[in-house]
Amino acid sequence: MKSKAGKTRKKKLAFVLGGGGARGALQVGALRALLEAGYHPDLLVGTSIGAANAAFLATRGVSLENVVLLADVYRHASEHNLLPSNFLWLSLRALLNRPNAQTIQKVKDFLIQHSVSPDFRFGDVKDVQLLIVATDINNACKVVYGYDLDELVINGLQASTALPPWVVPIEQDGQMLIDGGVISNLPIETALGNGVTEIIALDITDRRETNTTGYGFGSFFGKLSSTVQQRQIELESSLASAQQVVVHKIHLQSQAPVPIWDFSHWDSLIDEGYDITVDEISKWRSGEKRATLWQIVSGVYREITK
């Protein structure tokens, strides 16, 4: 690939893993399909549950064996009821400044036990670069963990997955850090700032949420969140196009809607994510073959008509 200046850029592939709670299991199946097809990332960028998936693989090694282990994490999340379904009650407690300490501690302990060792630093990551996206609502900006190699990975992971009402925001150094999906639920822009030439983006937003009926708090919040996220994705995809970076965006949407807190469908979601991605890869490669054939035919035609 050539830049605007005409210089050939070294190929650099990024996997971008978006947020969506329990639907992150779809990404596990997608990652398996991508690795089986020979795609291996130079950069992993994640937000929210995507950050958890990215951190798990980056700290252990991006391999099919570790994708299998990641699937087992989702089984444990289901067994431990990681995100309780009574989010309206949890929201009320949070509004009254009485967050559920038990739920908060459960999420923190789960991340340490099943995702990242508490003393693992970004500089300890080998063979792939890891970036984790969080949101600072005090300063209305994106925060990216991973550039400071001495920073603990668990710090970035806890910030990126601080999703109210299950986890309260993290206050430190004038920042109030919450879930990265608030500001960039499919962090394509973050990958672009690191010299990538190609991006495979795993989008697990469920666009059916904007089609729900009713005017209750849950319905309204779902519509609002989905609308903002879709607009973010459109803008970041347009930015990639302007920079002439190829983005293969895979929309991983299960046949039946799955709430972000419901990990009980983890096994079927993994299978669906795998099947969707295998189909998408087939489409890419068919398109690449047609493009190559057209280039050959065009070249022969130019030679004949000289």
Side-chain angles (χ1 to χ4, degrees):
M1 176 177 288
K2 291 186 177 181
S3 66
K4 291 181 179 179
K7 295 181 180 179
T8 301
R9 289 187 289 172
K10 182 180 178 181
K11 288 185 178 180
K12 185 175 182 180
L13 173 63
F15 284 1
V16 172
L17 281 60
R23 297 193 288 261
L26 288 160
Q27 292 177 347
V28 180
L31 289 165
R32 175 190 158 200
L34 289 167
L35 294 179
E36 285 182 351
Y39 294 94
H40 195 285
D42 302 292
L43 170 66
L44 281 168
V45 184
T47 193
S48 195
I49 193 68
N53 288 340
F56 184 94
L57 289 182
T59 56
R60 288 165 174 77
V62 183
S63 67
L64 286 169
E65 292 79 9
N66 286 325
V67 169
V68 172
L69 294 179
L70 179 56
D72 205 42
V73 172
Y74 279 83
R75 177 178 64 81
H76 286 292
S78 175
E79 293 171 352
H80 287 78
N81 189 28
L82 186 62
L83 299 180
S85 61
N86 59 335
F87 74 98
L88 291 176
W89 172 241
L90 293 172
S91 299
L92 179 60
R93 287 182 62 103
L95 288 172
L96 297 174
N97 200 28
R98 297 181 62 186
N100 190 314
Q102 183 178 4
T103 300
I104 295 168
Q105 190 62 41
K106 179 192 291 188
V107 173
K108 180 179 179 180
D109 291 345
F110 188 89
L111 289 174
I112 292 175
Q113 182 178 358
H114 295 283
S115 185
V116 179
S117 170
D119 59 352
F120 201 102
R121 301 180 186 277
F122 282 94
D124 298 326
V125 176
K126 307 299 181 185
D127 300 323
V128 68
Q129 183 182 6
L130 172 65
L131 296 176
I132 292 175
V133 176
T135 305
D136 175 10
I137 57 175
N138 272 356
N139 299 291
C141 67
K142 178 176 65 176
V143 177
V144 181
Y145 291 83
Y147 295 125
D148 180 355
L149 298 183
D150 289 328
E151 180 75 71
L152 294 170
V153 175
I154 192 65
N155 289 350
L157 192 51
Q158 285 182 297
S160 185
T161 57
L163 178 62
W166 293 281
V167 181
V168 296
I170 298 170
E171 295 187 71
Q172 62 181 33
D173 302 326
Q175 297 177 316
M176 183 172 285
L177 301 166
I178 66 170
D179 191 282
V182 172
I183 200 164
S184 182
N185 201 50
L186 190 64
I188 292 170
E189 181 185 19
T190 301
L192 292 173
N194 290 271
V196 300
T197 57
E198 185 176 5
I199 294 172
I200 297 175
L202 304 182
D203 177 13
I204 53 174
T205 57
D206 194 330
R207 296 169 187 168
R208 290 169 294 199
E209 291 177 341
T210 57
N211 298 323
T212 58
T213 58
Y215 299 94
F217 174 79
S219 176
F220 173 79
F221 183 79
K223 287 174 178 284
L224 177 63
S225 176
S226 182
T227 299
V228 171
Q229 288 173 356
Q230 288 182 44
R231 183 57 176 158
Q232 289 172 347
I233 293 169
E234 288 173 5
L235 291 172
E236 296 194 35
S237 298
S238 296
L239 184 60
S241 179
Q243 295 186 19
Q244 299 180 345
V245 174
V246 175
V247 178
H248 298 293
K249 184 164 70 67
I250 306 177
H251 186 212
L252 299 168
Q253 181 170 281
S254 56
Q255 291 185 6
V258 174
I260 61 173
W261 61 83
D262 186 2
F263 284 86
S264 65
H265 304 280
W266 64 274
D267 52 346
S268 61
L269 290 180
I270 290 174
D271 290 342
E272 288 188 75
Y274 179 82
D275 291 340
I276 292 169
T277 306
V278 166
D279 185 54
E280 287 297 313
I281 292 171
S282 177
K283 291 176 183 177
W284 302 342
R285 291 183 169 174
S286 295
E288 289 169 359
K289 287 178 181 178
R290 287 195 296 270
T292 301
L293 179 60
W294 173 248
Q295 289 172 353
I296 293 171
V297 171
S298 297
V300 171
Y301 177 78
R302 284 195 298 269
E303 287 296 322
I304 294 173
T305 55
K306 278 184 178 179

